[in-house]
Amino acid sequence: MAKRMYDINDENIEITKLIKHDSESINCQTVDSDTLNKIRNFDLKKRKKLGTKKVIAICTSVAACVAVAVVALVWNNISINNGVVYIPTKSVAKQSKMASSYSEIYSRMRKAKGVDFSEKENSIIEGIANSGNMKTASSDSASPGGSVGGSKNYSDTNEQTKDVHEADVVKTDGSYIYSLNVDKMVVTIVKVSGKKMEKVSTIKIPKVKKTFVNQADMYYIEDKLIIIENSNKTDAVSTYGVEDVARSGPCETIILTYNIKDREKPVLVSTNHQDGYYNSSRLNGDYIYTVSIKEMDNTLKEDSCVPKVNGELISYDQVYLPKVIEGATYTVITSMNITKPSDFSEKVAVAGGVDYVYASKENIYIAENTTTNEDIKNTKYGKKIWSKYKGEKVKETSKNLSAKKIKKLREIYDENQFDLSKVTEVKKQSVFLDKNTINIIKYKYKNGKLEYVSDNKINGRLDDNLSMDEKDGYLRLVSTNLDFAYVGVKRIIYDNNGKKIVDYVDESYYSDESQKQSNNVYVLDSKLKEVAHIDNIAKNEEIYAARFMGDYGYFVTYENKDPLFTVDFSDIRNPKIIGKLKLPGFSDYLHFYNSNLLFGLGEETENNCLKMEMYNISKGKAKRVSKKLLKGFESSQALYDYKSILVNEEKNIIGFYASYYGKQSEDMRDCYLLYTYEKGEFKQLAKVKLGVESYDTRGLYIDDYFYIVTPYTGIKVLDLRTKEQVANIKF
């Protein structure tokens, strides 16, 4: 490895060959300083001014001309540690950028793939190590579509950001209810008028043979139904009713658009595909933005090193390469104009994964919870842990791998990258710290265009997308540190040149029981640069819920008590915690009932049941004004999926699905609960027995009628004036 940026070595030459290969067919052009500046600051708007073909030709030519002096030599400073590619020097800060060629992407992703363990690689490495398992490190809003002559007084999906719509399994336009049965992939369309209901048609969604659809969502807008499904060759496992999508095998996100102007005869007008399993989506204006996650397999090649959209590779200049790439995974983002759904308007990719998506009206934030592994034996904290460890002390060993095991390594690793003529394994015992971090990437979006803005890494883990919120161009968020220190054994594999191929912690013996959890408040500016940070909040507790409104943010932590914290963001660069309310149990979901009241739904641990609480927040600080225990009810999908709850001040109703574990027969355990809030108290309006377990059950109102929709069975109707069930239709 070169000691200086301008030294030449074999690795640099190999990288240069890759770039040369990509640019051999391109004629070099004379590039003036103005054009070079445009290239350096290249974005979608500037591409229009320069012309796409000219930009690609110039960029590739420039890359070839300066490869030895800049690109290839920068890569020499990359180091790899426990599944993470690190770039430590200031000189490689520009490594975060849009790719300049498929060759560059291939090289970077091969490096990431070299330390990413697929199921196949796990078995190979385990065989090499000859040891045990490896240790790897809202608001309620109206429907976006117009009604078709029906009522305009109706509810729709509970969403995080006003006017930024989210998909769900049940939708309405005030005249019809659309219900998606994910198990059978069928949409039932029911015409409703008060207590009158009529099933008018059923859409049988086409299915790819020998695949499973384990997740699906739906939008209604302007006489169209847009259905987004996740198609996989491996069936999914359901956790809390939310599909825990299996990632093995080819995954594809499919977007189907139906014209339902004639509700009795829906017509499929377009089908679009993007690689990866479906993560999330948003509808803003006339465009749907869909996020999927593509995990590259062991056949990663230069001509297939990026995901495909509608069968074509995403253009390399629309692939963002962060400074740190953690595994050969991509986040794919597309936009589709619902008025012209025949193809995607925009297709971009980010090297890296995503857990949560938050969209303001102008920006999309993709966030991934990650864990890095650090050797801390020589630190003060590490020495303390080592001194307490009384178990077996393992001596450092080194041995050469057999030809048989090296042959297995060749199935995974590129011999152009590593010299596998001889491979050495080093076994080392030390003290390690698994540290939680969050990767955040920001894209600006408008009218279907997606423009990369910035990225950053901060400490902790996000609870969900409600832990993030944008105000006046700043991103404010809360996170939990769940760092974990322990004594373990690391195995490091080196090639013949002493270059590290991979390392991993194979065994752990002793963990630090005194390790403390804590929580953070962050404020990041428009470029995601940290401008404020409050840390060490609520030690030994974890964030369970968060919500932001105006100048204030609220979050709940839990261990034995339920501290509801209030953060004052009126001085956005100097946030302050101004309130801490301790109560039994915890809230798992927070919702602003109005500008003065905050509703909380959670669990009362002392009584082992659900609870509802209302807090007065008129003066910023939260003060509890009401509480109701739902004895016998121990779980609700609303604790995990905010789309399943309806909270509406206009109608003064709160509705959600809940499971009852009291002394009841099986058909009485699953209920839909409907409450009102009057004179400072929660009052039950209805308890409707569903007779079936269905986490996809949704409640919505149209005028004075409340519809409880269970996609697998049918719809029950309540008259909100009499609180009586007045109708029922079965699917």
Side-chain angles (χ1 to χ4, degrees):
M1 182 172 290
K3 295 181 179 179
R4 296 171 296 178
M5 289 292 294
Y6 45 82
D7 285 344
I8 304 295
N9 67 3
D10 291 340
E11 185 182 1
N12 297 334
I13 293 171
E14 289 301 322
I15 300 298
T16 305
K17 287 179 180 178
L18 290 174
I19 294 178
K20 179 178 180 296
H21 170 74
D22 189 67
S23 59
E24 282 178 341
S25 61
I26 306 296
N27 293 324
C28 289
Q29 302 181 25
T30 302
V31 185
D32 56 38
S33 59
D34 179 63
T35 304
L36 278 173
N37 286 330
K38 289 180 180 179
I39 294 170
R40 292 190 188 102
N41 300 288
F42 177 70
D43 61 22
L44 295 173
K45 294 179 180 178
K46 293 180 176 58
R47 185 172 67 179
K48 291 181 179 179
K49 295 179 182 179
L50 279 172
T52 304
K53 291 183 179 179
K54 184 176 180 181
V55 169
I56 293 173
I58 292 173
C59 286
T60 311
S61 299
V62 171
C65 294
V66 301
V68 175
V70 181
V71 181
L73 297 177
V74 166
W75 285 335
N76 281 329
N77 291 293
I78 297 175
S79 62
I80 304 174
N81 182 22
N82 197 49
V84 181
V85 179
Y86 291 98
I87 305 175
T89 62
K90 294 181 180 179
S91 60
V92 294
K94 293 182 180 179
Q95 196 73 13
S96 284
K97 61 177 182 178
M98 295 298 174
S100 61
S101 67
Y102 288 120
S103 297
E104 179 184 11
I105 298 171
Y106 175 69
S107 178
R108 291 288 306 278
M109 295 305 284
R110 282 299 303 181
K111 288 177 180 289
K113 185 64 182 174
V115 293
D116 180 50
F117 300 112
S118 67
E119 182 177 351
K120 179 180 179 182
E121 289 168 313
N122 275 337
S123 63
I124 293 172
I125 299 301
E126 285 174 4
I128 293 172
N130 193 27
S131 61
N133 295 327
M134 290 191 300
K135 184 181 185 304
T136 59
S138 230
S139 65
D140 193 47
S141 60
S143 169
S147 66
V148 287
S151 170
K152 295 183 184 299
N153 182 18
Y154 59 90
S155 64
D156 201 7
T157 304
N158 184 22
E159 298 163 340
Q160 181 177 8
T161 304
K162 185 178 180 181
D163 297 326
V164 179
H165 303 289
E166 302 182 36
D168 199 13
V169 293
V170 174
K171 293 288 183 179
T172 185
D173 57 19
S175 297
Y176 295 85
I177 293 175
Y178 311 95
S179 174
L180 171 60
N181 182 330
V182 178
D183 283 352
K184 297 185 180 298
M185 284 308 291
V186 170
V187 176
T188 304
I189 301 178
V190 178
K191 186 176 182 179
V192 295
S193 179
K195 64 180 181 181
K196 295 181 180 179
M197 294 186 291
E198 177 189 1
K199 188 172 76 170
V200 297
S201 64
T202 298
I203 300 174
K204 295 183 178 180
I205 301 169
K207 182 179 178 181
V208 179
K209 291 183 178 180
K210 296 183 180 180
T211 63
F212 296 93
V213 175
N214 41 38
Q215 185 181 5
D217 270 334
M218 175 175 60
Y219 289 97
Y220 165 79
I221 184 168
E222 298 176 355
D223 291 335
K224 292 185 178 69
L225 277 181
I226 295 93
I227 298 161
I228 307 175
E229 66 177 29
N230 182 77
S231 181
N232 196 336
K233 287 189 176 180
T234 304
D235 200 1
V237 178
S238 179
T239 304
Y240 297 118
V242 178
E243 298 299 343
D244 179 15
V245 181
R247 300 187 180 189
S248 59
C251 297
E252 189 174 41
T253 296
I254 304 173
I255 305 174
L256 305 105
T257 303
Y258 286 85
N259 185 325
I260 58 168
K261 190 170 185 178
D262 183 350
R263 299 301 194 275
E264 295 183 5
K265 296 180 180 180
V267 178
L268 177 63
V269 296
S270 72
T271 302
N272 291 294
H273 306 254
Q274 65 189 69
D275 275 359
Y277 57 91
Y278 176 51
N279 175 271
S280 187
S281 63
R282 296 293 187 274
L283 170 62
N284 191 339
D286 287 337
Y287 290 86
I288 287 178
Y289 302 84
T290 304
V291 180
S292 62
I293 306 173
K294 171 64 174 178
E295 295 191 354
M296 306 303 285
D297 59 24
N298 290 327
T299 62
L300 183 66
K301 298 178 181 179
E302 187 173 344
D303 59 356
S304 62
C305 60
V306 299
K308 292 182 179 180
V309 173
N310 280 341
E312 297 181 356
L313 293 177
I314 294 176
S315 176
Y316 62 76
D317 60 359
Q318 295 299 305
V319 178
Y320 177 69
L321 301 175
K323 287 179 286 188
V324 177
I325 301 176
E326 301 184 0
T329 301
Y330 285 99
T331 297
V332 182
I333 312 175
T334 63
S335 67
M336 185 189 79
N337 189 334
I338 59 174
T339 66
K340 300 176 182 178
S342 59
D343 199 357
F344 292 111
S345 302
E346 195 84 306
K347 298 161 277 190
V348 303
V350 177
V354 57
D355 289 309
Y356 303 112
V357 174
Y358 161 60
S360 68
K361 291 184 178 181
E362 297 178 346
N363 300 295
I364 293 177
Y365 299 87
I366 58 176
E368 181 186 22
N369 290 331
T370 63
T371 302
T372 58
N373 175 265
E374 301 175 16
D375 188 331
I376 62 169
K377 186 176 180 180
N378 293 326
T379 67
K380 182 178 180 180
Y381 181 43
K383 291 177 181 178
K384 179 181 178 182
I385 295 175
W386 184 252
S387 66
K388 292 181 178 180
Y389 173 61
K390 305 301 181 184
E392 178 188 4
K393 298 292 178 69
V394 179
K395 294 182 179 180
E396 181 172 331
T397 61
S398 177
K399 67 176 182 179
N400 295 330
L401 296 184
S402 66
K404 183 178 180 181
K405 292 178 179 178
I406 292 175
K407 182 179 179 181
K408 291 183 178 180
L409 279 176
R410 288 196 174 101
E411 297 178 21
I412 305 172
Y413 299 105
D414 189 349
E415 292 198 70
N416 291 324
Q417 184 180 353
F418 300 104
D419 180 357
L420 299 179
S421 60
K422 177 182 175 183
V423 178
T424 305
E425 178 197 60
V426 174
K427 181 178 178 182
K428 177 184 178 183
Q429 187 179 43
S430 192
V431 181
F432 302 98
L433 176 68
D434 284 354
K435 186 175 181 62
N436 300 132
T437 55
I438 306 165
N439 295 330
I440 305 176
I441 297 178
K442 177 180 179 180
Y443 271 84
K444 181 179 180 180
Y445 75 122
K446 185 177 182 180
N447 296 329
K449 296 296 182 182
L450 288 158
E451 180 182 346
Y452 165 80
V453 177
S454 188
D455 68 304
N456 198 0
K457 182 188 289 284
I458 60 174
N459 291 332
R461 295 180 67 83
L462 289 175
D463 179 55
D464 57 21
N465 54 292
L466 298 179
S467 298
M468 298 180 281
D469 181 79
E470 184 182 275
K471 180 180 183 291
D472 300 329
Y474 292 88
L475 180 66
R476 47 190 181 172
L477 57 89
V478 293
S479 67
T480 298
N481 296 325
L482 297 170
D483 301 345
F484 179 70
Y486 55 93
V487 175
V489 173
K490 176 174 285 189
R491 296 174 184 269
I492 313 167
I493 310 296
Y494 295 99
D495 74 356
N496 190 43
N497 294 322
K499 184 178 179 181
K500 181 163 60 180
I501 302 173
V502 65
D503 63 12
Y504 57 92
V505 177
D506 182 60
E507 304 167 34
S508 60
Y509 306 101
Y510 168 82
S511 61
D512 179 21
E513 300 297 333
S514 66
Q515 182 74 22
K516 307 295 183 183
Q517 296 180 7
S518 64
N519 303 279
N520 311 285
V521 172
Y522 279 96
V523 177
L524 310 179
D525 68 11
S526 60
K527 297 296 183 181
L528 294 185
K529 181 180 179 181
E530 181 184 323
V531 296
H533 179 201
I534 306 173
D535 58 8
N536 293 319
I537 305 168
K539 292 183 178 180
N540 296 321
E541 299 190 358
E542 181 179 352
I543 292 173
Y544 271 53
R547 216 60 193 265
F548 301 83
M549 182 173 69
D551 288 334
Y552 298 95
Y554 304 87
F555 66 95
V556 174
T557 63
Y558 172 74
E559 186 185 35
N560 294 313
K561 290 290 185 179
D562 175 15
L564 173 59
F565 289 87
T566 303
V567 187
D568 185 348
F569 291 98
S570 56
D571 181 356
I572 195 69
R573 288 177 168 264
N574 187 31
K576 296 179 180 179
I577 294 177
I578 61 172
K580 181 179 179 181
L581 182 63
K582 285 197 172 185
L583 301 165
F586 59 88
S587 290
D588 240 322
Y589 176 68
L590 298 174
H591 190 111
F592 294 107
Y593 202 67
N594 57 36
S595 59
N596 295 317
L597 293 174
L598 176 65
F599 167 76
L601 177 67
E603 298 180 37
E604 177 72 80
T605 52
E606 292 181 0
N607 293 280
N608 196 29
C609 66
L610 295 176
K611 69 169 181 175
M612 297 188 297
E613 293 177 310
M614 195 70 79
Y615 305 94
N616 186 320
I617 56 170
S618 58
K619 297 182 181 179
K621 291 183 180 180
K623 179 181 179 181
R624 190 176 72 182
V625 294
S626 184
K627 173 182 177 180
K628 185 174 184 64
L629 298 180
L630 309 183
K631 293 185 178 180
F633 288 97
E634 294 183 353
S635 70
S636 171
Q637 181 62 14
L639 300 178
Y640 319 107
D641 180 5
Y642 59 82
K643 295 178 187 179
S644 69
I645 188 171
L646 173 67
V647 183
N648 185 273
E649 185 200 12
E650 181 184 352
K651 283 290 184 182
N652 194 16
I653 52 177
I654 301 166
F656 53 92
Y657 167 93
S659 295
Y660 186 83
Y661 292 101
K663 295 180 180 179
Q664 298 286 347
S665 61
E666 288 291 334
D667 62 350
M668 297 177 66
R669 290 186 176 182
D670 295 285
C671 303
Y672 193 90
L673 304 178
L674 194 63
Y675 289 86
T676 187
Y677 184 72
E678 294 179 352
K679 298 179 181 180
E681 293 183 357
F682 294 102
K683 296 182 179 179
Q684 188 178 91
L685 296 178
K687 181 173 74 171
V688 180
K689 299 178 179 65
L690 301 176
V692 62
E693 182 181 65
S694 176
Y695 298 117
D696 286 343
T697 297
R698 300 290 187 265
L700 60 91
Y701 69 82
I702 301 175
D703 293 327
D704 292 324
Y705 291 88
F706 194 86
Y707 300 83
I708 301 169
V709 186
T710 302
Y712 308 111
T713 56
I715 303 175
K716 299 179 186 292
V717 187
L718 303 178
D719 188 326
L720 289 174
R721 295 162 296 188
T722 64
K723 317 302 185 294
E724 299 292 330
Q725 183 174 328
V726 294
N728 176 43
I729 188 172
K730 293 183 179 181
F731 294 158

